[in-house]
Amino acid sequence: MTDRTHPSEQRPLTAGRPSRRTVVAALGAAGCVALPAWPDTAWATAGTATATSGGPVLDTHPESEPSGTHVRDVGGTHVVFQYGAVLPGFDGWRTHEPTREYLSLDRRWRFRFDPRNRGLDQGWESPHLDDSAWGRLDVPAAWDLLDTPGFATETAEFGKGTAFADGYAWYRAAVDIPGSWRSRYVRMAFLAVGYSAEVWLDGTYLGKHEGANSPFALPMSGALRPGTRQTIAVRVFRRASYADYQEPTPRPVTDDYEIPYKPVDYWPYAGLTRSAWIEAVPQVTIAKLLTAGASGRLEARAVVENHGTTEFNGCLTLDPGRGSGGRPTVVAARIAAGSAGVVPVSVPLPGAPRWSPDAPHTLTACVTLTASNRGPRVDTLSTVYGMRELSVVGAQLRLNGEPVFLKGINWHEETAAHGRAMTPAEYDTELGHIPALGANFIRNCVYNRHPYVYDWADEHGVMVMDDIDTMWLNTAQEKLQTDSYGLARAQALTMAWNQHNHPSVILWGLQNESEIDGDGAPVYRAWLADLKASVHAVGLTTRPVTWASNTSNDPAFDIADVIGFNEYFGYFYGKDADLGPALDAVHAKYPHKPILITENGTWSRAGHHGPSTTEGTEEWQAARFTDHWSQVAERSDFVAGYTYWVLKDYKERAGYNQDHNGLSLMGMLTFAEERPKLVYEAFRKVTNPRAV
């Protein structure tokens, strides 16, 4: 039966819903836990935000973030659940397992804007709707570039075009569901939808996701009709940044439940911006493979779901991969019906090569589930991993026992041609600047990236600090996220879970320049402690945590494993020469913690030349970098790295740079042409102090 009821009109459903105040719910340690209850029509929406009369439309929100993200202790392994199932691996965008079937949704969809939110009342989610008059839009793509002439130029009029089309928009596509899927467990995966997505299949509501940059997978079984053509409808929402983009003093539009909750200085690209697909897996399936390779041993945990009605009693084989020096290992696997279980495997790999920036050796592990030791194959899942040891020893960050210095770059995931829906060739071009600059580190500033980026970093030996969307939160938001709504926690959990196996990811970033309240900052500290507990609750390794503080006197630095802060001495405040004394003061207060400069930079207009003392010239930008770098490099015994802001000029609609069509000119490269400025060469020439 279809359910066309608007989520905000449903009765609240709370039975079995995990508390957002507890990071790990210990629901069983016998090896299996029952799959969480999940309503057929997803969690009800309480309607906490509505449109103001005549003003911008705001999205509705449930009582807590809508995916139900939480962690459960499954036989001693902490497992992340969403939408009543294990949060699965998302390698289906590039790797197709032989035991599974895939239906790509990367195609041209029917598309229509719904700025005043009338689509639900008019049944736009219904399979019977005539959408032949709708427009079309590719998936993946950002609707910002659908019709915004001059988006990438400095001279176009700011505030015009689909780049400023906010509120709701709808996507529709008809898909033929194979009849062979009747005995399968089926889910629909999206790598990213900005900002939020609600999904229907033939009018049945599958669920909602919030957060523009994290992947999610919705179970489809309750609405699936194998052997028929069915209609997928996706309602996407993006909050306006301002009530009127062309006002002399624009009025910001905010929503305390969203992250970020207000305009920020990067572009909030909208739509189905990354790939999507439907994946049909066996009823007994390996949802996730966690790996940790260190000290000559591979530790693995296969997270297995049994969606069937009978117990599974078979075997699981782990092959550590070609070049590992290890042999396949077989262990028993017993998973109760309607449950998730974890099968642990440990394999000695004394001769496996280590992963490092100089020698980025990667290996591929594969697990196979069989009905018995030599029985038929039930399911397989593979993952790339690396053997490496990461530690913080005193004031040093160490990789494989050796101290490292991070010569790093911040970067935004966008191009002039495709916005955030970048192509593999564009990723190769953008990321190719990292080794060309002699850098060994990138900070994925303020949001998760496409899986391609982590794979690329693994293969090219580039270390990564991964971030979530928690930028510029205020104290009230920090408390809301910690005490009830839990979206920040969900983003931290999914980041740590999704990027768990990548050897390139060495740091978890918890926030960027969020507000620090007074009185010892109790709310701020509690929020960061909760986020740290979340990333450390997940997986087999404990990566160091840091964040990009807006001050070198952060009252929560004792919580961080690596002290990170953004500094703009000599630009926004103080003098360039103030950096060194600030670093010395932080080190004196926290002598046993490494320090990382998470941002520093200035700006220049490409082609504008003059004295290095004249603000805005390419010479001035390069000189400011060199001055700051030298103060950091001479303190490399306790400063673990420096991260330049930013690789390339970038788009933002945060209320400034409107005279440049929203282009921030702080990059080493220009936005559209990607032409180097003088600071590019200055950065390339400086020597990593740990390489001397």
Side-chain angles (χ1 to χ4, degrees), residues 395 552-559 563 585-595:
S552 60
N553 192 30
D554 191 306
F557 275 158
D558 60 299
I559 296 173
I563 291 174
V586 174
H587 179 57
K589 190 172 183 179
Y590 303 99
H592 303 298
K593 290 181 183 286
I595 301 171

Side-chain angles (χ1 to χ4, degrees), residues 668-679:
M668 297 179 177
L669 303 164
T670 59
F671 180 65
E673 304 85 359
E674 300 194 13
R675 182 172 68 80
K677 306 177 190 177
L678 289 179
V679 69

Side-chain angles (χ1 to χ4, degrees), residues 68-235:
T69 304
H70 67 286
V71 177
R72 293 187 172 200
D73 183 333
V74 184
T77 298
H78 294 161
V79 176
V80 177
F81 289 81
Q82 278 188 352
Y83 306 106
V86 174
L87 180 62
F90 290 94
D91 288 335
W93 72 275
R94 61 167 175 78
T95 302
H96 288 184
E97 298 292 340
T99 54
R100 305 178 180 191
E101 296 175 78
Y102 301 83
L103 179 60
S104 175
L105 299 178
D106 289 359
R107 59 182 71 180
R108 183 154 286 192
W109 291 51
R110 292 288 183 180
F111 177 80
R112 183 175 177 180
F113 287 113
D114 183 18
R116 289 298 165 189
N117 190 19
R118 295 168 181 158
L120 277 173
D121 292 338
Q122 297 175 7
W124 290 8
E125 78 286 2
S126 170
H128 308 297
L129 179 77
D130 181 4
D131 59 13
S132 59
W134 287 27
R136 294 184 180 271
L137 184 62
D138 287 337
V139 171
W143 80 49
D144 304 78
L145 281 79
L146 179 63
D147 184 16
T148 308
F151 178 77
T153 70
E154 286 190 57
T155 56
E157 185 179 5
F158 187 84
K160 299 289 187 180
T162 57
F164 302 89
D166 300 312
Y168 293 101
W170 288 72
Y171 293 74
R172 288 171 55 90
V175 294
D176 292 319
I177 305 297
S180 60
W181 288 10
R182 288 184 178 89
S183 60
R184 295 282 194 157
Y185 176 74
V186 184
R187 57 192 173 225
M188 192 184 312
F190 297 86
L191 287 184
V193 181
Y195 162 79
S196 69
E198 293 171 278
V199 184
W200 287 261
L201 182 65
D202 271 359
T204 296
Y205 187 65
L206 299 184
K208 180 176 181 175
H209 182 265
E210 276 195 61
N213 302 290
S214 55
F216 61 100
L218 293 166
M220 299 174 64
S221 300
L224 202 68
R225 293 188 291 113
T228 68
R229 175 167 291 185
Q230 294 192 264
T231 299
I232 302 168
V234 183
R235 184 172 77 146

Side-chain angles (χ1 to χ4, degrees), residues 17-59:
R17 196 166 193 181
S19 168
R20 295 301 181 274
R21 300 190 184 197
T22 305
V23 173
V24 178
L27 299 178
C32 294
V33 299
L35 291 170
W38 192 257
D40 291 339
T41 54
W43 297 118
T45 303
T48 55
T50 57
T52 56
S53 178
V57 171
L58 296 181
D59 199 11

